[in-house]
Amino acid sequence: MRPDTLPPPEIRARLRKADGLTQQEVADVFGVTRVAFNRWEVGAAKPRRRHLEAYARLLAGWAAKHPAAAVRIRGDKAMSSP
């Protein structure tokens, strides 16, 4: 994954939840509101560059730690997130 590429929105929330964190907890770390973080997570907004790379690294770390949460399900087929 490129440092500024994010997994699909459905994977982002699954990864965060797999690590046992709330949106508010992650938003606090980034210094943004929970609403702003929610928009990143659902794909309604993209983090600014200073947060984008850090968020991408965080998601990549969660994916390595929780590989089952990083799998996208389509119909009956499981696919790895790009």
Side-chain angles (χ1 to χ4, degrees):
M1 177 174 6
R2 288 183 17 223
D4 62 346
T5 303
L6 301 175
E10 66 269 15
I11 301 291
R12 298 174 201 175
R14 196 174 315 138
L15 288 169
R16 174 184 52 78
K17 290 174 185 176
D19 213 52
L21 297 170
T22 66
Q23 287 184 340
Q24 186 64 60
E25 289 169 325
V26 180
D28 289 346
V29 169
F30 280 103
V32 299
T33 66
R34 188 203 57 79
V35 172
F37 178 75
N38 174 266
R39 291 175 52 78
W40 299 355
E41 193 170 80
V42 301
K46 192 172 182 181
R48 293 183 186 212
R49 180 158 277 309
R50 69 178 193 204
H51 291 127
L52 179 60
E53 291 177 2
Y55 185 41
R57 281 192 309 270
L58 179 64
L59 289 165
W62 285 338
K65 186 175 177 183
H66 309 287
V71 174
R72 189 182 339 179
I73 310 268
R74 287 199 179 166
D76 294 328
K77 294 183 179 179
M79 301 176 58
S80 293
S81 178

